[in-house]
Amino acid sequence: MDLFWGRHDKRIDKKGRVSVPSDFRAALAEANAASVVVLPEPREPFLRAMAPAEFQDILRQLKQTYGRFDAKRTRASRQLFSRAQEMQFDSEGRIILPKKFLDYADIAETLSFVGAGDHFQIWNSASLDAEESDDDAMADDVLAALEGLPAEGALS
């Protein structure tokens, strides 16, 4: 699957419709996805969106990690699957974000789509701006940590 890249700022209409960036729709199409799964990000003020196959991978990981009746699996499944919603694109490449999702992410008029590799995030644009300021402050530490790691595929 193609990766989700970049930031795209958009306006949302009064009906909750917003146009998903065309390169994000192209990445989903590459993964044979005609829809997108959206859910509130636990403990964070944004929405996570992904191809349905990516969402199914989460279920597979839960099954591999925890037994069928393990309380952690039960709670994680409930938290993720009860809050997720699969959304179809209309003829103009838009999805309709339900009010509960808009309220969760504090989205009113403008929002930002943010590529995050195998998924993308949907943010209140002002909240994302503040978060990115915090990210900039942490970037030096992350880059320093990555400097010490061997390159993937490098010979030891």
Side-chain angles (χ1 to χ4, degrees), residues 17-88:
R17 295 179 300 195
V18 62
S19 179
V20 175
S22 60
D23 56 332
F24 287 12
R25 292 193 317 268
L28 289 162
E30 178 71 25
N32 296 316
S35 61
V36 64
V37 176
V38 179
L39 66 152
E41 178 72 16
R43 298 175 301 282
E44 296 287 342
F46 64 87
L47 306 172
R48 176 182 289 254
M50 65 196 82
E54 282 292 319
F55 196 64
Q56 290 171 356
D57 283 345
I58 294 171
L59 175 59
R60 271 192 289 283
Q61 290 173 339
L62 282 171
K63 286 180 175 180
Q64 291 171 351
T65 304
Y66 301 106
R68 180 179 301 260
F69 298 106
D70 187 293
K72 289 179 182 176
R73 177 176 166 184
T74 300
R75 286 177 179 224
S77 295
R78 181 174 54 246
Q79 182 181 47
L80 293 170
F81 292 89
S82 70
R83 297 175 183 177
Q85 185 171 335
E86 186 172 10
M87 299 180 183
Q88 305 295 325

Side-chain angles (χ1 to χ4, degrees), residues 78-155:
R78 181 174 54 246
Q79 182 181 47
L80 293 170
F81 292 89
S82 70
R83 297 175 183 177
Q85 185 171 335
E86 186 172 10
M87 299 180 183
Q88 305 295 325
F89 297 103
D90 69 10
S91 61
E92 296 177 34
R94 298 177 300 189
I95 56 173
I96 298 174
L97 293 171
K99 182 174 179 351
K100 66 181 179 181
F101 283 2
L102 297 174
D103 291 345
Y104 181 87
D106 194 27
I107 296 170
E109 295 178 12
T110 60
L111 58 78
S112 298
F113 288 91
V114 180
D118 62 354
H119 69 281
F120 60 93
Q121 301 168 355
I122 305 171
W123 283 82
N124 166 310
S125 296
S127 297
L128 177 59
D129 291 340
E131 189 75 16
E132 286 178 336
S133 292
D134 290 344
D135 291 346
D136 290 344
M138 185 179 29
D140 287 339
D141 292 338
V142 172
L143 292 173
L146 291 175
E147 285 284 325
L149 299 175
E152 188 173 319
L155 299 175

